[in-house]
Amino acid sequence: MKKVDVFINGEFRTPFLNRYFPVINPATGDVIAEAAEGNEQDIEWAVESAVKAFRETTWAHDKELRFRVLNQLATLLRDNLDELTELESNITGRPIREMKAQLARLPEWFEFFASVLKTHGTDSPPFSGDYINYTQRIPLGVVGLITPWNHPLLILTKKLAPALAAGNSVVIKPSESAPVTPSILGELAKEAGVPNGIVNIVPGYGAVAGKALSTNKNLAKVDVTGGTETGRHIAAAAGFNLAKVAAELGGKASVLVLPDANLEEAVNGSAFAAFIATGQTCVQGSRIFVHESQYDEFLERFVEKTKGLKVGDPQKLETDIGPVISEKQYRRILDYIQIGKDEGAEIAFGGKSLDGKGYYIEPTIFKNVHNKMRIAQDEIFGPVTCVLKYSTTSELIELANGTDMGLAMSVWSNDIRQAHNLAGKLEAGIIWINDHHRIDPSSPWGGFKSSGIGLENSIKCFEDYSKIRNVIVNIQEKSFDWFDGSAQVKRYS
């Protein structure tokens, strides 16, 4: 059994209250770890450590050090992938095949942002007159990273890599459901050469440790991934302290299947969109729109595809669908399945929990769904998707945009002109064409509307972890004296 303490100033420490909470394996219901129940005092210690390290180490000023350390951290991650993959699968219930694919890419983020910090920074904007004008990109200071349980290492890495590359120190509050692998990443960061105090990690409950971090007046930025309402509260607290905010929040992604699409590809892509990560992802394809002329055929093929998915032990390579993360989430998803039936939607496949240990729910497909139904509007965050019918392209656009959320959508079409045209009319921050749920460290990731503010990934994200100092140098040969008694109008601005 793993024991996860708070990680402050490069050391694991007993939490202030000496309390621990269980971390559950959702496939079995067994306790597989105990994590520190960090509180306000632990957060304060962590922030103080981060402030001190930012001011007293060379981290913020030494780009060469950061470049070397981030690349070394990428190497250490690759060396530890087997242990991290098994742990993350056990803690989240994600099938091991998924975890192998996802975690194998994590080193790319540290390598990409190491390259960015070496090549992106100072520029020289135009400035009239005899002046040299240049900017310096400098770190913000201490940033708070609040991460969820569905992709513990991936989402932490998406925040941590640019934050460290830009020269900041960080305090991390991982989800109470999945705090183990983030703590190991903290150890690896120290081994890679990150100075003590630059990376601090405080497990704990969101209502206590998360709230204490998001309201701390010493933070220059808060970066959170979570539910929309949680994000609103965190953004309000950070805004009061004039701290920057990035928030990747809820999603209700639409999959748009056009009549000219390759139906087999669209079915396979929709299954991936709907059921990867057991549907526990903010870009889950939870609303699949199919033209009325193909609706019945698509639904038949989609049900047959879903019937072939293997639900079971996440540690087996042949498993496609694992358990959901917790009993609380399990109950919530089953409640939404009942809500869908009560609203008049019909279950085309699934809809039941599975007997035995663990929080298993069948992959579930609803048909005859109307866009105003709760199952078509609310983020369920589980293996539940809806197949909806449309008749015209204008109706499709209205239906797809008809939610409060706007993180991601996908368009399936063999008419590239129509696909691009449609993509330009969709209210979402990420649009895939003939694909779904693809990501890269260089590609911006963020949502519209209630799906959040700010970006992960890309140079834009790196820039948002820094601030700009403008330096203006006077190189005029003749000295300037405004108060020379000449009464002449001169330029002074």
Side-chain angles (χ1 to χ4, degrees), residues 63 115-122 137 459-460 462-463:
K63 286 188 175 183
S115 298
V116 170
L117 83 88
K118 287 280 278 190
T119 58
H120 188 71
T122 300
R137 193 165 287 282
I459 290 174
K460 294 294 185 183
F462 172 82
E463 290 176 344

Side-chain angles (χ1 to χ4, degrees), residues 420-437:
H420 278 285
N421 186 277
L422 184 57
K425 296 174 181 177
L426 298 178
E427 297 170 355
I430 308 157
I431 308 292
W432 296 283
I433 295 178
N434 295 328
D435 216 325
H436 198 98
H437 207 317

Side-chain angles (χ1 to χ4, degrees), residues 123 125 127 131-136 468-473:
D123 62 7
F127 200 97
Y131 291 89
I132 293 174
N133 184 39
Y134 64 92
T135 63
Q136 296 174 318
I468 290 178
R469 176 190 291 127
N470 191 193
V471 181
I472 304 161
V473 184

Side-chain angles (χ1 to χ4, degrees), residues 184-205:
I184 295 174
L185 186 57
E187 284 186 280
L188 294 178
K190 178 177 180 177
E191 185 180 346
V194 174
N196 291 343
I198 293 296
V199 174
N200 306 274
I201 306 171
V202 181
Y205 293 109

Side-chain angles (χ1 to χ4, degrees), residues 64-386:
E64 188 60 37
L65 170 64
R66 302 202 302 270
F67 177 79
R68 291 197 310 269
V69 167
L70 290 174
N71 280 296
Q72 178 62 17
L73 182 51
T75 298
L76 291 174
L77 266 174
R78 286 194 176 93
D79 292 344
N80 287 272
L81 280 177
D82 289 344
E83 177 193 5
L84 290 169
T85 299
E86 183 177 352
L87 271 172
E88 194 126 308
S89 177
N90 279 326
I91 290 164
T92 65
R94 293 278 298 276
I96 194 75
R97 187 163 65 97
E98 284 185 35
M99 297 318 310
K100 285 178 177 289
Q102 185 181 96
L103 267 59
R105 296 203 60 202
L106 298 188
E108 295 177 38
W109 267 260
F110 291 100
E111 291 166 342
F112 172 77
F113 283 105
S115 298
V116 170
L117 83 88
K118 287 280 278 190
T119 58
H120 188 71
T122 300
D123 62 7
S124 182
F127 200 97
S128 61
D130 292 329
Y131 291 89
I132 293 174
N133 184 39
Y134 64 92
T135 63
Q136 296 174 318
R137 193 165 287 282
I138 58 178
L140 296 172
V142 180
V143 298
L145 309 180
I146 300 175
T147 60
W149 47 260
N150 58 326
H151 306 298
L153 275 178
L154 172 63
I155 293 178
L156 174 55
T157 294
K158 287 164 67 180
K159 302 179 190 304
L160 183 62
L164 293 181
N168 300 288
S169 60
V170 303
V171 178
I172 300 162
K173 210 299 285 184
S175 167
E176 54 266 35
S177 296
V180 179
T181 50
S183 75
I184 295 174
L185 186 57
E187 284 186 280
L188 294 178
K190 178 177 180 177
E191 185 180 346
V194 174
N196 291 343
I198 293 296
V199 174
N200 306 274
I201 306 171
V202 181
Y205 293 109
V208 178
K211 181 179 179 181
L213 181 59
S214 63
T215 57
N216 192 287
K217 294 181 179 179
N218 286 309
L219 295 190
K221 180 177 178 176
V222 180
D223 192 338
V224 58
T225 296
T228 297
E229 286 309 305
T230 299
R232 291 184 197 277
H233 290 296
I234 289 173
F240 183 80
N241 292 327
L242 300 181
K244 283 189 173 186
V245 178
E248 199 259 66
L249 306 176
K252 193 69 177 174
S254 296
V255 176
L256 285 59
V257 182
L258 301 189
D260 63 273
N262 180 306
L263 211 56
E264 182 179 1
E265 286 185 359
V267 166
N268 292 339
S270 296
F272 178 79
F275 300 125
I276 195 74
T278 318
Q280 297 172 117
T281 170
C282 49
V283 296
Q284 182 214 10
S286 56
R287 297 149 43 86
I288 303 170
F289 292 96
V290 183
H291 191 265
E292 59 188 5
S293 64
Q294 294 178 306
Y295 186 87
D296 292 339
E297 183 182 359
F298 177 94
L299 187 61
E300 182 181 352
R301 291 194 187 192
F302 188 45
V303 168
E304 284 303 308
K305 180 71 177 181
T306 304
K307 282 180 180 178
L309 301 180
K310 292 181 172 60
V311 182
D313 182 357
Q315 291 297 312
K316 294 182 177 180
L317 280 172
E318 61 267 25
T319 295
D320 298 307
I321 306 288
V324 298
I325 186 68
S326 66
E327 183 178 2
K328 178 181 178 182
Q329 190 67 11
Y330 171 83
R331 298 293 177 196
R332 184 177 188 272
I333 295 165
L334 292 176
D335 285 347
Y336 265 103
I337 291 173
Q338 186 60 50
I339 288 168
K341 292 190 288 186
D342 292 344
E343 288 181 316
E346 299 177 45
I347 291 179
F349 182 77
K352 300 183 183 68
S353 60
L354 301 182
D355 294 333
K357 288 185 175 182
Y359 309 124
Y360 286 93
I361 297 173
E362 291 178 316
T364 299
I365 302 168
F366 275 102
K367 65 179 181 178
N368 296 329
V369 178
H370 300 297
N371 206 35
K372 297 299 182 184
M373 290 180 176
R374 288 186 62 190
I375 56 170
Q377 291 292 322
D378 296 354
E379 185 175 39
I380 299 172
F381 225 69
V384 180
T385 193
C386 307

